[in-house]
Every structure is written in structure tokens, then in C-alpha cells.
Amino acid sequence: GMVQKLDQKLPVANEYLLLSGGVREGVVDIDLDELNVYARGTDYDMDFTLLVPALKLHDRNQPVTLDMRHSALCHSWLSLRLFDEGTISKWKDCCTIVDHINGATNYFFSPTKVADWFYDSISIVLSEIQKKPQRGMPKVEKVEKNGTIISIILGVGSSRMLYDIVPVVSFKGWPAVAQSWLMENHFWDGKITEEEVISGFYLVPACSYKGKKDNEWRLSFARSEVQLKKCISSSLMQAYQACKAIIIKLLSRPKAISPYHLRSMMLWACDRLPANYLAQEDYAAHFLLGLIDDLQHCLVNKMCPNYFIPQCNMLEHLSEETVMLHARKLSSVRSDPAEHLRTAIEHVKAANRLTLELQRRGSTTSIPSPQSDGGDTNQPDDRLAKKLQQLVTENPGKSISVFINPDDVTRPHFRIDDKFF
């Protein structure tokens, strides 16, 4: 809200999608090469991803046609010709300019320039907050720009909350390139409506491996993925979380596989396997082995189709050497999955112990931070942290958005699916 008030670039009536887990957790399909490494327990206690629409195109009923002539599948450039003159003049400085032979000028919205502007704006806002601390305002522990992502760690009472903030372009409706996917049969048919699944999509600031970073955006179906999670059984979700915990450590170097790939494989498995089999409550172990096998199969064949745009192979760019290295690592997991799972659980326990130890130390210090309310430091104000954690925990698989009034940034409110809080 305060960034919006700086230069009125952001839409006034804006909706920010809040996702549980950071970009490093594979919550959105963004390459992780440029992200600094943060560790749960050492750097933060809970993590979120916040999608912030810089532009919105919400007045279209027909399928949205994007300019994909210059980019790889699942990517697009965005011409500001789709918008009014006021929007063009407002965002000119965040565009790359292409002059045509006929004398016309085209402004292409640049993900790198938008990220630079957004980071500068957030830095200005945070420095103002630090000059004039207000009661209850979170303490800013760290602000870093990681490629096109802005990572902020806030101290809220004794909790440290990591927000990966992603500037996006928000669309209502569905992209024409993914229209054929709707014609297929899917596991969610009859469980949720098509309108819920195709209510909107995003362009996120990430380019393909051969794309032009200054111009290319990646299509993201984060809002749809939140809806589809509602239709996945709890035992399969447990297996996914377990598999994610294993691969996030094991397959981190060289960077090739992310939890987003794993989630895509899980969605394909839901389409492929019988619903009554996936509904078995005590089959979590079976599902874990199945996910490892599916991942192994994808690596060996160097093929992982995007769930919404199947003609896009998300592993196409990898070298044979890299895929075989990861395939061999996965073979060791498959031979003794229980041991690898125990190791992953021990990592989580160690992170939790470290968090509790840091919170215990924090509660015994007698020096309040300059941004604390100066009250009893033995009773840290964790209300915001606890409220967020409670919202996420109590509403698994639900779409959580934040609405902010730029004229009163002290009162955000949340929407969970269609209910407001």
C-alpha cells in the first residue's frame, strides 16, 4: 500500500495472492539460480510468497492471446498496447522500446526493470518506516533482491517471517495457449467447477533458458494450482511433502529439479491413476515410492511436461550428464527411502530446535528493538505471525489473498476463497 502511494504505479484496488512457502520451496515456477540461500531455523521460522500485481488485465471474457512470437513455450512478451495511454505513460520507464519500420513505437513491459523499480520503491518505504517506527510495526531483519524476486525477512515478536515478493501481471480468464488442456479429462472434473480452475493466471518475472531476460515473462497458474490442491487426497499430499523434503536437499546441486517439477508430476499422476486408489488413506508410503519412480522416469527420459501446457517440456534444457547424476542420486533414495526420510525429518527438527533456542534467547534480552512497541519484551507481540500461520494451517488448499487500502495500510484484510476476514 505504501509503495502504491509513492508514484501511483500499482493498481489502487489490488489483490495480493499469499502462498504458504517461499520461492525456494518451489511454490511458483521460477528458476532458483539467482536466489541467495536461506535456511529455516537459521534465517527464518516461516516463509511465504506474495504475488503483487503491477498490472492487471481483468476486463476480458474471451481467451487471452499473448505475444509468444519471440519466446519459448510457456513464456511471453507483454506489449503495453493492450493497455490505455495513462498506463503506458506511467510505466514507460519500466519498458524496453522497439521501433517498427512503419514508425510506430512498441513498449514491452520488462520484468527486470519492473523488479528494479519495485526493489527501489520497497527500499524507500522501509527506510521511511525505520526513520519513524510505529507501535507494532515489524522489525526489518533483511531486504535483498534476488534476480527479479525481493526477499524480506521481518521480525514479528519472536518470529522471523520470510516473504518472497514477486511482481506479476495479473489476468482474469485463461490463456489461449492452454485452451486445449481444458478439452481433456482431469481428476478434478466434477469436484470443482471449471470456472474455479480458470479464474485467472499470471505472468511472473522469469525467462526461458535461451530467452531475453529483459523482455520475457513466464506463464504461472498459481491460482489454479491452489484450487486443484483441494482435490488431492491427504495421503498423497503427505507423500508429496515427504518427497519434497528429500529432494530439496539431495538434488540441490547442480540446480535442475525443483519442487515445482515434483508438483507437476503429482498432478499428472492424479490424472493417470484411478480415483479410488488415490483416495486410500493408508497408502502414503506407496505414493511416496510412486513419486520417486515418476521423478526417476522423468529424469531418465529428460521429459517433464508442464501440467497446463503439456507441449512445454520443463527438463528439455538439461544436459545428459546432469539428468543422469540426479537419476543416480534418486536410485540411492529408492533403495532406502526410510533412511533418507529420517534424515530430512532430523533436518526439520534441528531447524525447529534452533528457532526455539533463538526465541528463548530473544525473550530474555532486556533491550527492545527500535521498532518494537517498547512494552514487555518477555511477551513479544506474535499476533500477526500467529494469525498468518493459523490462516494457512486451518485452510489447506484454499486461495488466500490480501487486500490493502493504500490510504490505510494499518488494516489489511484477508480473503479465503470467497469469504472475507
Side-chain angles (χ1 to χ4, degrees):
M2 295 173 79
V3 169
Q4 198 280 335
K5 290 177 84 172
L6 275 181
D7 53 14
Q8 281 77 49
K9 271 187 161 80
L10 293 182
V12 176
N14 222 1
E15 182 179 357
Y16 307 82
L17 187 66
L18 180 70
L19 302 169
S20 178
V23 168
R24 292 157 192 79
E25 293 275 309
V27 170
V28 285
D29 182 18
I30 291 182
D31 304 318
L32 307 177
D33 293 343
E34 299 178 8
L35 291 178
N36 293 337
V37 176
Y38 301 144
R40 187 183 295 273
T42 306
D43 300 300
Y44 65 91
D45 306 315
M46 49 186 111
D47 54 335
F48 302 93
T49 298
L50 193 66
L51 302 187
V52 177
L55 285 177
K56 298 194 303 182
L57 223 65
H58 281 192
D59 56 349
R60 304 286 174 108
N61 290 321
Q62 71 270 28
V64 181
T65 303
L66 296 166
D67 186 352
M68 297 179 164
R69 293 170 298 167
H70 317 282
S71 49
L73 268 170
C74 227
H75 296 78
S76 179
W77 291 22
L78 182 68
S79 168
L80 288 195
R81 281 180 179 171
L82 295 170
F83 299 86
D84 57 70
E85 284 299 322
T87 302
I88 293 173
S89 64
K90 198 184 291 184
W91 283 106
K92 264 184 189 176
D93 57 339
C94 289
C95 290
T96 57
I97 300 169
V98 176
D99 291 318
H100 293 284
I101 299 169
N102 62 9
T105 300
N106 205 345
Y107 295 94
F108 288 102
F109 205 43
S110 169
T112 51
K113 291 184 179 183
V114 170
D116 290 342
W117 162 81
F118 197 45
Y119 176 69
D120 291 342
S121 300
I122 284 179
S123 300
I124 291 168
V125 164
L126 291 178
S127 66
E128 287 301 311
I129 290 171
Q130 286 166 322
K131 282 180 198 168
K132 301 172 186 175
Q134 296 177 23
R135 180 184 175 89
M137 187 67 76
K139 180 185 176 186
V140 181
E141 304 272 355
K142 186 179 286 188
V143 185
E144 287 187 336
K145 184 170 177 287
N146 293 281
T148 52
I149 308 301
I150 292 89
S151 298
I152 299 180
I153 297 177
L154 298 178
V156 184
S158 59
S159 299
R160 295 158 303 160
M161 302 166 74
L162 166 64
Y163 287 93
D164 284 323
I165 303 178
V166 186
V168 300
V169 182
S170 171
F171 293 86
K172 277 274 190 268
W174 199 245
V177 69
Q179 201 69 20
S180 60
W181 176 79
L182 293 174
M183 306 298 112
E184 306 293 334
N185 294 323
H186 296 290
F187 72 99
W188 47 267
D189 293 336
K191 297 176 183 175
I192 52 176
T193 65
E194 187 174 284
E195 286 70 28
E196 288 175 282
V197 175
I198 65 170
S199 61
F201 69 100
Y202 298 101
L203 295 181
V204 296
C207 80
S208 60
Y209 286 86
K210 293 181 180 177
K212 192 174 177 183
K213 281 189 175 183
D214 288 345
N215 282 29
E216 200 169 83
W217 298 78
R218 182 171 296 162
L219 275 78
S220 168
F221 300 91
R223 190 177 287 280
S224 301
E225 288 159 359
V226 168
Q227 298 297 328
L228 297 184
K229 272 191 198 172
K230 298 177 189 176
C231 307
I232 297 174
S233 69
S234 58
S235 50
L236 180 52
M237 282 305 298
Q238 283 176 349
Y240 165 74
Q241 295 293 350
C243 195
K244 183 175 83 167
I246 293 170
I247 71 160
I248 220 163
K249 293 280 185 200
L250 188 74
L251 305 185
S252 60
R253 293 288 181 272
K255 184 60 69 179
I257 293 290
S258 85
Y260 189 84
H261 293 103
L262 184 66
R263 194 162 72 215
S264 299
M265 291 172 214
M266 177 176 67
L267 292 172
W268 282 119
C270 289
D271 274 357
R272 187 179 75 244
L273 296 167
N276 57 354
Y277 170 71
L278 292 172
Q280 298 291 330
E281 290 185 8
D282 55 350
Y283 272 29
H286 298 70
F287 298 152
L288 173 59
L289 296 178
L291 287 172
I292 294 171
D293 288 344
D294 279 2
L295 185 52
Q296 184 85 295
H297 184 266
C298 287
L299 282 167
V300 169
N301 291 283
K302 213 168 80 169
M303 172 64 73
C304 179
N306 181 286
Y307 182 65
F308 300 93
I309 306 177
Q311 60 269 38
C312 172
N313 174 14
M314 297 189 290
L315 299 184
E316 188 177 32
H317 63 281
L318 296 180
S319 69
E320 296 293 334
E321 184 184 18
T322 298
V323 293
M324 292 315 295
L325 171 66
H326 284 322
R328 282 195 294 271
K329 287 182 181 178
L330 267 185
S331 292
S332 71
V333 174
R334 189 63 172 83
S335 64
D336 192 358
E339 180 56 35
H340 283 84
L341 195 52
R342 274 192 290 270
T343 303
I345 290 168
E346 285 306 316
H347 281 141
V348 173
K349 285 181 177 177
N352 288 342
R353 282 195 297 269
L354 189 54
T355 293
L356 291 171
E357 175 62 21
L358 289 168
Q359 288 178 345
R360 187 188 63 75
R361 283 187 207 161
S363 67
T364 58
T365 180
S366 58
I367 305 170
S369 81
Q371 285 164 286
S372 73
D373 58 16
D376 182 0
T377 53
N378 289 316
Q379 296 293 325
D381 187 352
D382 276 353
R383 284 172 297 177
L384 175 60
K386 285 176 179 171
K387 181 178 181 182
L388 274 175
Q389 193 60 55
Q390 184 182 359
L391 282 172
V392 172
T393 304
E394 291 179 357
N395 297 279
K398 293 193 177 177
S399 172
I400 302 179
S401 304
V402 187
F403 289 84
I404 294 177
N405 176 359
D407 296 323
D408 181 9
V409 296
T410 62
R411 297 180 61 198
H413 72 263
F414 297 91
R415 182 176 82 174
I416 299 176
D417 284 349
D418 294 323
K419 293 183 181 175
F420 287 88
F421 293 81

